[in-house]
Amino acid sequence: MSRLIIVSNRVQPPTGEGGGNQGGLAVALSAALRESSGIWFGWSGEVAEQFTGHINLRRAFGVTTATVDLEEQDVDEYYNGYANRTLWPLFHYRVDLAEFESGFAEGYERVNRRFAETLQPLVEEDDLIWVHDYHMFPLGRFLRDRGVRNRMGFFLHIPWPPYRLLMSLPDHRELVETLFAYDVVGFQTQDSLEAFHDYVVHEMGGTVEEDGRVVVGDRSVLARACPIGIDTDNFLEAARSPAAKDAYDRMRESANGRDMIVGVDRLDYSKGLQERFLGYERLLQQEEGLHGRLFLLQIAPPSRGDVQSYQEIRAGLDSLSGRINGAYADAEWVPIRYVNRGYPRDRLAGIYRAARIGLVTPLRDGMNLVAKEYIAAQDPEDPGVLILSRFAGAAEQLSDALLINPHSPEDIADAIQKALAMPLAERKARWRACMDSVEQQDVMWWRRCFLSALAGEEECSQADAA
Ligand code: ADQ
């Protein structure tokens, strides 16, 4: 078995038995690294006065991590700049928020060259290299330039935008060309895969072969849809833990007989939080009879606080939740409980289970793992209802959720009413269909799906992924 090298912007070393509070992605990648005695390479999250290329090698719980520190200018231009102020908004269809600064693009290229330069001496002949996400598009190209001939794959966790939108990125073609340095590129959904095909066909004059190979001139890359899942077994275990039970009991007690709707998201404009609050407000406007009978618990830990658009969304949500609560609350009832903090995974599982409705309404999302976690946490005998945006990647697999248009307050309000009135038999049938996908296409399945393609084997077919 080949050794595996995983590369991602941030490295999440394992924290202990069962993954502790590590996210599902980190658990799956750690398991793969353990099986193949591999290395996880990336930024330490630390800032150094000067970039030295010094690698901090560590081994914990069977996983070796190799991290480097970056300079402050690198973090500004590469991470806060090109990755999070240019690519993230554009790839989530927010051209209005995308900033096109040439300094960002230069910093992005410089850091990717630095990663390539630092990583290359660690690469051995038969290693498989798996690069993750939009921070690292050109890394493969720079490794190839340095003579690395290994099998290399790239997985994009966020959506691939329609080609006309992508064309608003200066040097879009150079960015897409870098993908041809890889042997395999993976996307979350069929929709993203097709958008990539469109770009290659319309902009590069390329073709898409029946076996999934995308060909431009004498270069080609295998492009697949491999939807990511959660670590379902691990999550089910967390959901049965005493901490989950305690969180469930406390939530039920504090709900005091009211129906709870839950939203759990990083505080990000792509997650449709303002639109969600407006949809909920519409329901309160329409249905006076529901006042005092339900509430929305929105858990939203802040992220990327150095970026202005994130400061703005935070201020916008503070004021919107205040306005709605100001208009509708009374001495015994607050319609929105808005919480800006993270929760351990086991407690989160208990909170999901206590909620009659899971409200997941991103305007665009590569996948959205919260939707899958909500399903996994439900009581099979009395499951809650998932309301899910059509524009989350998860909607391709969880098509038995109540699918809505997150831009429409009416749609959100109607779906909440429908969920509240849904008979047990329908709740069970919809949940079962969603749970089948969450169980079968979990994060281990995703990993096998991608790595088998990277190793040149055929384990998961496109039909499995659809
Ligand atoms: P994210 O945009 O971060 O990921 P998501 O897929 O929803 O979004 O994952 C968020 C994770 O963070 C979930 O596991 C959730 O439980 C956890 N989380 C969120 N709020 C939390 C809180 N308050 N406390 C504790 N945990 C919390 C990116 C892409 C997604 C894609 C993933 C994986 O944007 O589209 O699904 O990568 O590929």
Side-chain angles (χ1 to χ4, degrees):
M1 186 185 188
S2 302
R3 200 174 71 144
L4 179 65
I5 297 183
I6 287 174
V7 189
S8 65
N9 172 57
R10 287 297 290 275
V11 174
Q12 277 182 282
T15 47
E17 271 309 292
N21 281 327
Q22 234 188 349
L25 175 63
V27 170
L29 296 181
S30 301
L33 288 166
R34 240 176 254 122
E35 283 164 23
S36 66
S37 337
I39 300 178
W40 192 344
F41 175 86
W43 177 33
S44 59
E46 301 293 324
V47 177
E49 215 152 279
Q50 251 199 328
F51 180 80
T52 61
H54 170 76
I55 300 173
N56 190 357
L57 269 180
R58 277 205 196 143
R59 198 166 163 78
F61 303 101
V63 174
T64 303
T65 53
T67 55
V68 286
D69 300 346
L70 292 177
E71 284 171 25
E72 197 167 329
Q73 189 184 353
D74 292 339
V75 178
D76 285 348
E77 294 173 353
Y78 147 82
Y79 179 69
N80 287 323
Y82 202 71
N84 286 333
R85 286 161 72 177
T86 307
L87 294 180
W88 175 274
L90 182 65
F91 277 58
H92 287 86
Y93 297 47
R94 294 297 302 267
V95 195
D96 58 319
L97 295 178
E99 296 173 48
F100 303 115
E101 298 273 345
S102 58
F104 291 173
E106 283 158 22
Y108 183 76
E109 184 177 326
R110 181 181 66 249
V111 171
N112 271 280
R113 281 189 193 281
R114 285 179 165 175
F115 282 146
E117 193 182 300
T118 319
L119 175 61
Q120 188 236 322
L122 298 181
V123 179
E124 293 171 10
E125 201 179 314
D126 288 330
D127 290 349
L128 291 177
I129 302 174
W130 187 7
V131 179
H132 289 260
D133 230 0
Y134 60 101
H135 313 86
M136 304 265 178
F137 279 113
L139 181 73
R141 172 78 276 140
F142 297 146
L143 284 170
R144 293 281 185 237
D145 291 348
R146 302 183 75 81
V148 172
R149 294 283 158 265
N150 301 55
R151 301 266 309 163
M152 250 196 284
F154 176 86
F155 186 82
L156 183 67
H157 289 261
I158 64 176
W160 183 272
Y163 79 95
R164 286 189 191 286
L165 223 146
L166 186 51
M167 282 162 65
S168 52
L169 180 73
D171 302 330
H172 52 92
R173 174 124 185 195
E174 281 79 352
L175 189 90
V176 181
E177 299 245 352
T178 62
L179 287 178
F180 286 82
Y182 296 100
D183 297 289
V184 181
V185 292
F187 299 95
Q188 296 274 26
T189 60
Q190 202 58 33
D191 192 60
S192 283
L193 176 64
E194 284 166 17
F196 175 66
H197 288 163
D198 282 350
Y199 183 94
V200 171
V201 170
H202 293 290
E203 270 300 299
M204 303 174 93
T207 53
V208 180
E209 306 298 311
E210 254 179 36
D211 62 359
R213 216 146 254 298
V214 171
V215 182
V216 177
D218 58 358
R219 292 164 308 160
S220 74
V221 61
L222 179 63
R224 311 286 300 254
C226 295
I228 196 166
I230 61 167
D231 184 356
T232 309
D233 288 345
N234 194 288
F235 199 82
L236 288 174
E237 210 173 289
R240 284 191 291 263
S241 67
K245 175 85 175 65
D246 180 62
Y248 173 88
D249 289 342
R250 282 164 178 262
M251 265 337 298
R252 291 301 286 242
E253 198 185 316
S254 96
N256 197 15
R258 299 183 172 110
D259 286 322
M260 171 165 119
I261 305 171
V262 76
V264 176
D265 312 74
R266 259 186 324 102
L267 220 168
D268 192 299
Y269 49 80
S270 67
K271 302 291 181 186
L273 292 164
Q274 281 177 315
E275 291 74 6
R276 184 178 311 170
F277 283 5
L278 292 172
Y280 179 64
E281 181 186 40
R282 178 68 60 99
L283 178 73
L284 298 177
Q285 281 163 354
Q286 283 169 1
E287 295 297 323
E288 230 174 281
L290 288 176
H291 294 189
R293 291 184 38 212
L294 82 179
F295 68 96
L296 168 62
L297 170 64
Q298 178 61 54
I299 299 177
S303 69
R304 304 177 192 168
D306 292 339
V307 178
Q308 198 191 340
S309 47
Y310 286 77
Q311 294 158 6
E312 284 167 8
I313 176 89
R314 184 162 187 190
L317 285 165
D318 284 350
S319 107
L320 188 55
S321 58
R323 173 163 74 74
I324 296 171
N325 280 341
Y328 293 98
D330 62 30
E332 286 142 49
W333 172 64
V334 179
I336 302 181
R337 299 185 189 179
Y338 178 45
V339 184
N340 290 130
R341 51 167 280 196
Y343 283 85
R345 259 150 43 88
D346 41 13
R347 297 202 72 82
L348 206 52
I351 295 173
Y352 287 136
R353 196 178 174 100
R356 182 81 190 274
I357 297 173
L359 196 49
V360 182
T361 60
L363 306 179
R364 287 287 154 192
D365 218 329
M367 175 55 58
N368 195 295
L369 297 178
V370 169
K372 295 184 174 184
E373 291 167 0
Y374 177 76
I375 290 293
Q378 295 309 299
D379 174 358
E381 295 311 315
D382 186 18
V385 179
L386 175 65
I387 298 178
L388 178 61
S389 162
R390 292 184 183 287
F391 307 129
E396 274 188 14
Q397 292 162 300
L398 307 181
S399 52
D400 285 277
L402 287 182
L403 297 185
I404 51 107
N405 172 0
H407 298 279
S408 159
E410 279 99 331
D411 236 24
I412 294 176
D414 291 352
I416 296 174
Q417 276 202 292
K418 186 169 176 190
L420 289 171
M422 192 180 285
L424 179 63
E426 183 178 349
R427 278 193 279 134
K428 279 184 164 176
R430 285 178 182 271
W431 174 80
R432 186 65 261 169
C434 291
M435 189 61 181
D436 283 346
S437 153
V438 172
E439 279 175 332
Q440 285 158 25
Q441 296 172 352
D442 68 356
V443 74
M444 306 301 170
W445 174 88
W446 164 76
R447 191 188 86 200
R448 284 196 303 275
C449 177
F450 189 89
L451 287 180
S452 59
L454 182 57
E457 301 152 6
E458 203 40 59
E459 196 168 299
C460 100
S461 71
Q462 292 290 295
D464 282 344

